[in-house]
Amino acid sequence: MSDLASLEQRGLSELAACADEAALRAWITKFFGKQGEVALALRKVGEIAAAERRAYGQEANRIKEKLQAAHDEAQARAKASALEASLREQGIDVTLPGRPVARGRLHVATQVLRDIQAIFADLGFQVYQSREVEDDLTNFELLNMSPHHPARDMWDTFHTTTPGVLLRTHTSPGQIHVMRELCPEPIRVILPGMCYRYEAITTRSEIMFHQVEGLAIGEHVSMADLKGTIIAFAQRMFGAERKVRIRSSYFPFTEPSIEVDMDCIVCKGQGCSLCKRSGWLEIMGAGMVHPAVLKNGGYDPARFSGFAFGMGPQRITMLKYAIDDIRQFWANDLRFLAQF
Ligand code: PHE
């Protein structure tokens, strides 16, 4: 019994002397390990005289539980004070200013596309997405260009190894897709997207570029509607004082066809290097949808009419920001891109 009393005392005082968790681990091995003092004391029960055995066993168990509980408490205290110490030493000052994260931005081409879309949205035009991989039929034939039509020369084409499959050279084939999807409903859409042409890359032409096509179909759509739409667009995009000039032109899928100029935003029509001394900048091709194209879209040309236009937003962006090299758009040079 006196051995037990001394075990209890040593256990408690050595525990009190443990300064940290490592010391506590050593303590637990010493007292509670397989050969630890508590185990040894319990094993002794067998050697005790029968009369005292019961009392000895009870006392040994009481001490075992007391030491265990005292240890658990000491361990919890040690953990808490270790945490507190680490918070004190490696404290985070949440009031310090953070490290700035570089912010990305929209590509200037995307910004301008969105500006154009917003203007046409105000005019009641919805955005229609059309495919970039097209077939010859939709890119040319249904737009009134049979296989050997000389006008095909205006669109140098990337053909694929699959006969008849090509990269669209303009957004106009989208006209066919919209018409076939919406016929006989009236249509008022723009079709923005990438186009591809097998051309020499220069400061003014790229092999890939955006176009924004416009298409309006209805029972009384006229050239005056086309003109009004173009003027509204030019004035919203480039300033309320813009003037628009219309020249006659030719596209197989419009009749009549026009080319649209606006007065130069730099010299206001006086003549400068941007407008090559002419006072005018070309902004788009357009015209009244050809009856053959209306028919290919499912619309009866005797009842329906429509206008279409197509513009190159990169050209428009170059005008707006005085960019002198179209290759900048896809060169991925941050010095260029970060300016917008
Ligand atoms: N698709 C023509 C081009 O790429 C532009 C255009 C579109 C002209 C619609 C008239 C009507 O040059």
Side-chain angles (χ1 to χ4, degrees):
M1 277 303 203
S2 66
D3 285 354
L4 284 181
S6 110
L7 169 62
E8 179 175 13
Q9 236 174 30
R10 272 184 300 111
L12 289 174
S13 67
E14 283 180 34
L15 187 64
C18 288
D20 53 22
E21 290 183 276
L24 283 170
R25 273 194 297 278
W27 183 93
I28 204 90
T29 316
K30 177 169 180 193
F31 287 92
F32 282 86
K34 267 217 179 81
Q35 299 301 322
E37 301 205 18
V38 174
L40 293 179
L42 284 169
R43 235 171 272 154
K44 256 199 199 146
V45 177
E47 301 164 18
I48 305 294
E52 286 167 31
R53 198 175 292 156
R54 185 184 159 86
Y56 178 93
Q58 277 176 349
E59 180 64 358
N61 271 316
R62 185 190 66 76
I63 291 169
K64 177 185 169 193
E65 268 155 40
K66 180 160 181 190
L67 288 179
Q68 182 73 60
H71 168 268
D72 291 352
E73 224 173 85
Q75 192 182 41
R77 268 198 310 275
K79 274 212 166 87
S81 73
L83 175 63
E84 211 172 287
S86 94
L87 284 175
R88 216 179 312 111
E89 281 160 29
Q90 308 160 29
I92 299 167
D93 182 353
V94 294
T95 66
L96 280 176
R99 288 185 210 98
V101 176
R103 264 228 256 162
R105 65 186 72 212
L106 293 177
H107 192 289
V108 61
T110 307
Q111 291 180 39
V112 170
L113 270 184
R114 290 192 181 182
D115 289 348
I116 294 172
Q117 282 164 202
I119 292 170
F120 281 106
D122 286 351
L123 296 171
F125 286 76
Q126 289 180 295
V127 172
Y128 187 94
Q129 301 262 27
S130 186
R131 65 195 69 168
E132 292 177 21
V133 178
E134 266 297 355
D135 49 22
D136 185 277
L137 187 71
T138 322
N139 196 81
F140 292 118
E141 265 185 73
L142 295 173
L143 292 174
N144 210 21
M145 276 178 275
S146 48
H148 298 288
H149 197 296
R152 286 190 177 210
D153 281 354
M154 297 203 296
W155 295 276
D156 295 307
T157 308
F158 281 113
H159 297 274
T160 68
T161 48
T162 311
V165 176
L166 46 81
L167 299 183
R168 67 175 177 190
T169 55
H170 51 173
T171 42
S172 299
Q175 291 186 27
I176 300 292
H177 294 298
V178 193
M179 285 194 275
R180 291 190 167 177
E181 189 177 319
L182 299 184
C183 182
E185 297 298 319
I187 295 175
R188 213 189 277 184
V189 293
I190 55 169
L191 304 100
M194 199 60 92
C195 301
Y196 305 86
R197 285 190 202 168
Y198 185 48
E199 280 183 6
I201 298 175
T202 69
T203 54
R204 292 180 50 79
S205 67
E206 254 286 10
I207 58 170
M208 54 188 279
F209 52 93
H210 286 132
Q211 276 195 347
V212 177
E213 189 91 2
L215 179 69
I217 308 257
E219 293 204 27
H220 306 286
V221 177
S222 72
M223 191 85 173
D225 297 318
L226 171 59
K227 204 175 146 190
T229 304
I230 292 171
I231 291 171
F233 167 73
Q235 295 184 343
R236 277 281 302 272
M237 191 80 191
F238 293 101
E241 68 284 5
R242 286 285 72 75
K243 288 202 269 303
V244 163
R245 175 177 87 167
I246 283 169
R247 287 176 287 123
S248 99
S249 183
Y250 173 75
F251 299 102
F253 35 89
T254 44
E255 180 59 35
S257 301
I258 58 170
E259 209 82 52
V260 181
D261 301 336
M262 97 190 155
D263 59 334
C264 179
I265 48 176
V266 170
C267 65
K268 316 246 179 316
Q270 296 312 111
C272 68
S273 60
L274 179 64
C275 58
K276 298 206 204 93
R277 319 268 149 228
S278 72
W280 296 94
L281 302 167
E282 188 184 317
I283 56 169
M284 66 174 83
M288 300 307 291
V289 180
H290 195 287
V293 176
L294 281 172
K295 229 184 273 171
N296 289 337
Y299 288 83
D300 176 4
R303 214 179 118 200
F304 290 93
S305 57
F307 66 72
F309 56 82
M311 63 179 125
Q314 269 78 72
R315 283 272 160 80
I316 289 186
T317 308
M318 291 170 78
L319 296 180
K320 194 164 173 167
Y321 295 113
I323 298 164
D324 59 8
D325 191 336
I326 201 169
R327 293 172 296 190
Q328 293 281 14
F329 282 96
W330 321 128
N332 258 346
D333 186 338
L334 285 178
R335 290 170 304 175
F336 171 74
L337 297 174
Q339 292 180 52
F340 303 98

